[in-house]
Each structure stands twice: as C-alpha cells, then as structure tokens.
Amino acid sequence: MHGEEFLGRDSQLSEDEDDSFVFTTKPHAFGGAVLSPKHARELTPSLCLGIASALSSEFSRKNIIPYTLWITEAWRVLGWAEPSAALFWEMATMYHTLYLAGRVESDENIPPILSCGSHSSMGSAPQLEQNKLNKQKYSSTAKELPVWLIGTFLLLHCEESIYRVESNTSEVRSGVEGIWQQKQLPTRMRSHASQQDHYTCYILRHLRKILLLSAVPHNDEAVRACMTLAAMPPASTSVISDVSVVEKWHQEEHSNIGINISLSVEDLEKLHFVLQPSLGGGIDDPPVDYGQFLWNEIYRDVSITAGASIPLGEVERLIRQQLTDSYQKHLCPEMSIAKISLNDPPDNQPADKGRGYQKELTYTNLRGTTIFLKPESTETQHLHDLVISDCSDAHFYLLQPFEHVTISFCSGCTIVVGAVAGLLYILDCEKTQLTSAARRLLISNSSDVLSHIFTPSPPLLVGDNRNCQLAPYNTYYEGLREDLLATGLAAAVLQDPPLSPSSTSTATSWPLQCASNKWKQPVELSKLEIPQVDEDSSNIATDDAAMQTPILLPASEFNILFVPFVSNPRKETEEPAISEPLESQYNQMLAEILQLSPFRLPIEYERHSLGKADRMKNLQSLMKTLSEEQRARLEDELNRGFRDWLVTSGNLRQVLDLVHLERRGGV
C-alpha cells in the first residue's frame, strides 16, 4: 500500500496510449475447455469438424440441435459416455448464455440459473412474467444449442497446453513447496500472459476452421469444406509460439479449401466467442459489431447493405493481421498503470463508473498488500473480467460482480470475490483461501487451497490437486444480493402482497431464490466415467493414492469471514454501537451474516459457528466474576497473546492496511 491509490495492471488506459481498435484472443472459453486425460489425448481438430458436419447433416434446416442428438453423436463419433458429453454441454451452455448476454446492449441482469442442468435454468414460477422477455432474448436453454457453438467450443479443447493441464501429474512439479514458482512450471504455464500467447497462436493456426464453423449448418459450402478438412490426415499437435511458423502450418493444413465461401454479417458476429478488443475493451463500450468493422476495413468506401457478405479469404487475412500485430505488441508490452480509486465520489456528484477502465481487471506481482474494491452503488452495471496472477501473502476483497475470474500462480493469499457469472478458474495456486459465489468452480494443479464456495454446479477438479478443501460459503457483505442478481446466481421472488413499506433496506426488499449449493459434490475429471463401486464391494482392490476423494472441510474447522466493509450510511447510523463490548459486537455481526446471507449454512457448520459465540459469552461472564486486578492481568495476557498472533501469522500488516484504508474512507 503506497500513496492515495492502489496500483494494478491493465485496468485503465493511459491518456497518451494508442486507442485504435485492435482485437485479441478471448481466453475465457479456453479455461472451461476441460476433458478427461483419455478424451483429451484422442480429440483432434478433424474429429471436431467431423462431428460438426454430422450434426449439420442431421439438422440442416435448423441452426440448433437438441441435447439428445448431441449425446448420441458424441458417443458415435467421439466415443464419449454420457457423463463427459453432459459436462461439455453444461459448459457450452454457460458460455453460450454469457455470449448472448454480451451481445445485447442492455442493463438487464444475466438470466438466473436456479436449477443447474435442468430445463428450467432460465427462471422459475414466481418470476415467469418478469423473465418472459429474457426467455425470448436468450432462446437457447439447456435443451438445445447452436451447431456452430458446439463445433467451435469443441475445437478449443484441442489446444495442446489445455491437455497439459488436464494430464499434469506429480512429475511436472518437484515437490509441494514452490509449485507457484515459475521455474518449476512448464513453459506454457509461466504466466497468464504466456497462456494468452498460446491461445492466440492456436486461433491463428485453426482460423480457417473457426470461420467455416461460423457458417454451419445453413451454408452448404461451409459444411462441405468442413467435411473435406475432417477427412484430411491429422496434423501435428506441437505447441508453436512463432506466428510465422503457425501461418505456414495453417496454409499447409488448409490450402485453399473454403477460401471463396461468402460469410454473412450474422456469421461474423459469432467471432465474439473467440475474439475481443484489447483487454476486453472499455467496460462501458457497446458490443463490437464485427460484421460492420470487418466490412469497413475491407471495403472502406462502400456502405454496407442488408444481406451483405464478405469472402472468407478477406476476413481471414484481416483477422490474421490483427492477431499477429496484437501478438507482437504483447512480446514487448508497455504496461499501463491503473489507479483503482477507493474513495467515494464527492457529495452530489455521480460516480463516473468505468470511465477509461477496461473490461479486464488484472492484479499481478503483488506481495504483502491489501486490495479492496467496494461494492458498486449503481443498480445496473457491466461486468468486469478479473485476473489475479503471481501474487503472494496478499489479501483481496473484491466485492463486485464479475463475468469470469482467473486466479493463477498465487501463494499464501486470502481472496474474496463478490460473485462470478461464469467460470471461477483456480490454476497452480498453493496455501490460498478463497470465498466466492460462482456458476462454475474449476481447480487445477493446486495445493492446499481452501474454497468457501456457493455454486449451483459441482466443482471440477482437474489435473494434480493436493490437499485442496471445499467448504460452504462463509461471509456476507452489503451488496452481495445485488451481485448475485447481476450474475444470474439468484432471482428475486416477487411477493403478493409486497413487503411492508416500512422496510427501507433495498438489499432485502425481495427474498432471493437460489439453486442448491453443490459445494460438497465435487467431480474429479479423471474419474468422470469410472463406474461407481458399491461400498459393500470391499473385496475390490483399488489404488488408494489414485482413488483419493476430495476433502470437505470439517465443521470443527469452519470459520465465518467478516468482511471489513461498512457503507457510509450504515456507519453513520451505527457509530454509537462502537462503545458496546466486543462480545456484543461479535455476536451482532455473526447474527447478521447468518440471517442476511441467502445461502443457509449446513446445520453442523451453523451449530459450530454459534458455539463460538456461546464460548465468547461464557468468557465475558467469567471475567465479570474476577476482581479488577485479576481482570486487568487476564486482559493483559490475552492482549499479549493476540499481538504475538498478529505478528507470527502475518495479519498485523493487514490490520495496518485496513487502518490506513479507514482513515481514507475506503473501508
């Protein structure tokens, strides 16, 4: 903590930075491209085109296919059993929902997911009227998905570095300590930036396939071109980070197949699934019209007309040029510094939210500091993507909603993230505690990570995870309910008659309905298709090391997390309560968390938390029976022990950070 504002990376453009439009690879769908090691080894780009062609032939008159057809074709073409095919479908549905939401310039929240994996994931009975327009706008539910999305998302699973993550074993890392150190990681895993470079090279290598898939199944020429490429011999899967070599391979693998096919403006809009402006673009910028942009770049003096189309070869040339320029700039980056202000705006002056700030917020290379983002006060807001990378011994309180979150190469951190509409991706972390609500949690190649989580989907464990624990959500802060609504993790239940007008708290104006919390039902990807063995079948020998089950945090070790934030209006009304005994303050805060949190704790965890409050009450009662001299001696001893704990645990630095923040009005 230095100066009046925290420093972060890549969150805001400097005034003199070139603001010309450049698009880059969108990394988020790559993070969710997970398969069992066996399927990851067997999947090839040719198979992806083959199944896309087969689905197009089955439903040539429709752009969408039902779940039942996908299950059948996944088994016939790919050899996937239903658990793997169903997981792919769930992940694709999540990305498709967010893709559609990102294409609409609207202040509406993301449609709520109230029953993961069911056909009612777009809403529930108490809010059918409220969500009628949403259902029309987001027409694809869990029952059906477009062919182009299935083919494109499947193609992303072939990226070689993803396979390395999924098949990573103990030989990749020399010992548990220091797994986050860059020198012990494979080349492609050294930073979030290097991952982005690999994804860009992969898109460049398979750009022709991606453009062809954007035109299936309605374009017969594109379908035939996919069939032709699918019949060609499999190409090398080596990871290449030289764009000149990648371009050569692309030409050798694709030749001139499909290069003269015409792509409509609607086809080009699907590029939003794999491309984005640099750093995601401005947080308040309208969605990019890729069809209009590409037309203007290619035909500068010709106005676009209804039904206009562009030859695939021209589109490919321009996109390749853009991605290559972006990649080369990334090799010698001139990092801009973001100033994340923690101060409230002056009175009577609206907060200029997002002005100059990029969609992607990045915190990297932070050591021994505390980062705090207060909840947004506006009712409607666009969602940032969040990246926390290569940080150690830091505390993050990021009390805002996000679209996707990636936490990588972190050690000894405590991280609180408000709510995540998509994927919360934990990669190569150790000794880190996380609290968040997310549609999907994915933990990969991590050690001693404790996740207090609300998620309507079973957590996914990928690669070599050791001593990772899962626990129920353990905090509450003002603004959590709004964050859950904004990210589609909850729905407001309309009541008739409405609540009493005397209720003035907007956060509790309407009860929330959430899906059941699947925190204690993790899925290890390597065991996804292993048949379940009956408990009585004890005579079947198994490898204990290979068949370890994920660890659920015992209730006896569960702790409530008190977020150090009180809004200014509440601070003014509760200022006199500061003089109350610590025991009363603790019990009041605990009662508020248990009462206001929309996630009910399992009974054994709630009982343990209340037991701590009872022990504090008993201690206060016993202290009242002591003489003044005995009480003073005991208080001195307790204070000395507490100070020693602050120093030895490293929490003294966080306390000093929070004191500094409070003086500035940030907490």
Side-chain angles (χ1 to χ4, degrees):
M1 273 175 50
H2 301 284
E4 286 299 313
E5 295 173 319
F6 287 124
L7 298 181
R9 198 190 87 174
D10 284 348
S11 296
Q12 186 185 41
L13 295 175
S14 59
E15 293 181 359
D16 57 350
E17 185 174 348
D18 182 14
D19 60 356
S20 60
F21 181 80
V22 175
F23 50 74
T24 60
T25 304
K26 182 179 288 187
H28 313 299
F30 283 99
V34 292
L35 291 174
S36 67
K38 176 180 181 297
H39 293 328
R41 287 192 299 268
E42 296 173 348
L43 187 64
T44 65
S46 295
L47 280 175
C48 299
L49 295 179
I51 194 170
S53 302
L55 294 173
S56 299
S57 300
E58 290 282 349
F59 271 66
S60 58
R61 296 182 181 179
K62 295 182 64 177
N63 291 327
I64 55 177
I65 64 166
Y67 172 74
T68 52
L69 179 60
W70 159 249
I71 291 293
T72 303
E73 292 299 305
W75 171 256
R76 185 182 68 84
V77 179
L78 304 176
W80 291 5
E82 186 167 358
S84 293
L87 175 60
F88 173 90
W89 188 270
E90 289 179 13
M91 298 296 284
T93 299
M94 176 185 74
Y95 284 112
H96 189 230
T97 300
L98 297 176
Y99 161 83
L100 292 175
R103 294 300 306 122
V104 179
E105 189 175 1
S106 170
D107 290 329
E108 295 181 18
N109 292 330
I110 295 171
I113 174 172
L114 301 179
S115 179
C116 183
S118 74
H119 301 328
S120 61
S121 61
M122 301 299 293
S124 59
Q127 50 165 191
L128 290 181
E129 289 298 321
Q130 181 182 5
N131 287 341
K132 185 179 295 183
L133 294 178
N134 281 340
K135 286 190 173 184
Q136 295 173 356
K137 182 172 61 179
Y138 304 94
S139 58
S140 292
T141 67
K143 294 179 181 179
E144 54 194 16
L145 286 173
V147 176
W148 73 264
L149 180 103
I150 292 175
T152 305
F153 187 44
L154 197 59
L155 185 63
L156 301 187
H157 287 65
C158 299
E159 205 274 319
E160 174 66 12
S161 63
I162 294 175
Y163 165 69
R164 292 188 184 183
V165 172
E166 293 161 354
S167 59
N168 191 21
T169 54
S170 57
E171 68 266 14
V172 173
R173 301 175 296 186
S174 55
V176 174
E177 73 278 356
I179 65 172
W180 55 277
Q181 296 179 2
Q182 296 180 1
K183 63 181 180 180
Q184 293 184 351
L185 296 173
T187 302
R188 71 118 213 137
M189 297 169 62
R190 290 186 177 171
S191 70
H192 175 72
S194 65
Q195 283 182 308
Q196 183 81 9
D197 293 341
H198 281 286
Y199 298 157
T200 299
C201 287
Y202 184 79
I203 293 296
L204 286 171
R205 181 170 178 179
H206 299 285
L207 185 55
R208 182 79 53 80
K209 300 182 184 72
I210 292 172
L211 293 175
L212 289 172
L213 287 170
S214 71
V216 299
H218 61 273
N219 189 317
D220 293 336
E221 290 184 89
V223 174
R224 287 193 293 270
C226 287
M227 291 180 177
T228 302
L229 291 174
M232 297 178 67
S236 170
T237 58
S238 300
V239 177
I240 298 295
S241 296
D242 186 329
V243 291
S244 61
V245 176
V246 169
E247 184 174 359
K248 178 182 177 182
W249 282 13
H250 180 276
Q251 182 59 32
E252 291 177 353
E253 294 172 14
H254 301 86
S255 185
N256 291 325
I257 299 173
I259 199 168
N260 294 319
I261 292 175
S262 295
L263 299 178
S264 67
V265 173
E266 290 75 18
D267 296 335
L268 297 175
E269 288 304 298
K270 297 166 187 174
L271 292 173
H272 274 277
F273 190 69
V274 293
L275 300 179
Q276 65 179 10
S278 179
L279 301 178
I283 184 61
D284 285 331
D285 290 348
V288 178
D289 188 336
Y290 278 104
Q292 181 74 56
F293 170 78
L294 292 168
W295 178 275
N296 291 341
E297 289 294 310
I298 296 171
Y299 308 109
R300 295 184 179 273
D301 299 327
V302 181
S303 299
I304 192 170
T305 59
S309 62
I310 307 175
L312 184 148
E314 291 295 319
V315 174
E316 182 182 295
R317 177 188 58 79
L318 183 56
I319 294 177
R320 182 173 299 280
Q321 177 185 338
Q322 284 264 331
L323 291 180
T324 300
D325 291 346
S326 173
Y327 177 86
Q328 291 174 344
K329 289 180 181 179
H330 201 250
L331 294 179
C332 300
E334 297 178 359
M335 308 304 281
S336 59
I337 298 298
K339 295 183 177 181
I340 309 298
S341 176
L342 299 179
N343 294 322
D344 291 325
D347 293 339
N348 303 322
Q349 179 178 340
D352 193 4
K353 182 185 71 67
R355 182 175 60 84
Y357 285 89
Q358 300 301 95
K359 178 175 172 58
E360 181 178 289
L361 293 178
T362 301
Y363 298 95
T364 186
N365 294 309
L366 296 178
R367 306 285 184 267
T369 189
T370 300
I371 302 295
F372 204 104
L373 285 182
K374 296 190 296 184
E376 291 283 356
S377 58
T378 55
E379 295 182 359
T380 58
Q381 55 190 333
H382 297 90
L383 302 185
H384 285 283
D385 294 319
L386 174 66
V387 175
I388 303 175
S389 178
D390 194 24
C391 299
S392 63
D393 303 316
H395 291 77
F396 295 87
Y397 300 96
L398 308 176
L399 310 182
Q400 294 183 10
F402 297 93
E403 184 169 339
H404 296 287
V405 174
T406 300
I407 303 172
S408 57
F409 322 114
C410 291
S411 175
C413 294
T414 297
I415 302 173
V416 180
V417 176
V420 186
L423 182 67
L424 173 54
Y425 187 22
I426 312 299
L427 172 65
D428 283 281
C429 294
E430 71 165 359
K431 299 177 183 176
T432 292
Q433 294 191 34
L434 170 73
T435 295
S436 185
R439 177 160 179 170
R440 174 72 77 173
L441 171 67
L442 194 157
I443 303 175
S444 176
N445 299 329
S446 296
S447 172
D448 296 298
V449 171
L450 172 58
S451 302
H452 294 87
I453 192 73
F454 166 80
T455 176
S457 311
L460 291 176
L461 303 177
V462 181
D464 183 20
N465 293 294
R466 302 182 182 185
N467 301 321
C468 292
Q469 292 182 298
L470 297 167
Y473 193 84
N474 67 336
T475 193
Y476 179 80
Y477 62 89
E478 294 181 73
L480 173 61
R481 290 170 172 262
E482 288 77 6
D483 291 352
L484 295 174
L485 291 171
T487 53
L489 294 176
V493 179
L494 306 181
Q495 292 189 340
D496 188 20
L499 296 178
S500 170
S502 61
S503 176
T504 59
S505 174
T506 58
T508 57
S509 297
W510 302 105
L512 295 186
Q513 180 180 357
C514 304
S516 60
N517 193 355
K518 302 293 197 310
W519 70 273
K520 63 190 306 182
Q521 302 173 24
V523 173
E524 292 188 75
L525 200 63
S526 60
K527 305 175 185 177
L528 188 60
E529 294 185 2
I530 296 179
Q532 299 296 317
V533 180
D534 294 337
E535 295 181 1
D536 296 336
S537 303
S538 57
N539 58 335
I540 300 179
T542 58
D543 184 349
D544 291 338
M547 297 298 291
Q548 287 183 1
T549 56
I551 300 174
L552 303 182
L553 183 73
S556 59
E557 301 177 17
F558 178 78
N559 293 303
I560 293 291
L561 175 67
F562 296 98
V563 174
F565 169 73
V566 178
S567 63
N568 287 336
R570 182 177 176 184
K571 187 184 299 184
E572 294 172 359
T573 59
E574 296 185 358
E575 194 68 33
I578 299 300
S579 60
E580 295 182 1
L582 289 178
E583 170 261 331
S584 299
Q585 295 180 43
Y586 174 84
N587 290 338
Q588 179 181 352
M589 290 188 295
L590 178 62
E592 286 183 354
I593 288 179
L594 296 179
Q595 178 182 0
L596 296 178
S597 175
F599 315 128
R600 178 67 185 270
L601 280 175
I603 187 63
E604 62 272 23
Y605 292 85
E606 182 175 336
R607 186 182 297 120
H608 174 72
S609 301
L610 294 174
K612 287 186 176 183
D614 291 338
R615 287 195 294 273
M616 181 168 279
K617 287 182 181 179
N618 294 336
L619 177 61
Q620 292 288 340
S621 299
L622 289 174
M623 291 185 67
K624 293 178 181 178
T625 64
L626 301 177
S627 64
E628 291 187 6
E629 180 180 354
Q630 291 173 324
R631 188 182 304 118
R633 194 180 310 161
L634 177 59
E635 288 178 352
D636 287 342
E637 188 65 28
L638 290 174
N639 289 334
R640 186 180 303 108
F642 180 64
R643 288 194 296 269
D644 291 342
W645 174 81
L646 283 177
V647 174
T648 57
S649 66
N651 281 296
L652 178 60
R653 187 261 315 144
Q654 183 189 186
V655 171
L656 296 176
D657 286 352
L658 293 173
V659 170
H660 179 76
L661 274 171
E662 185 177 26
R663 289 173 179 172
R664 295 173 46 214
V667 179

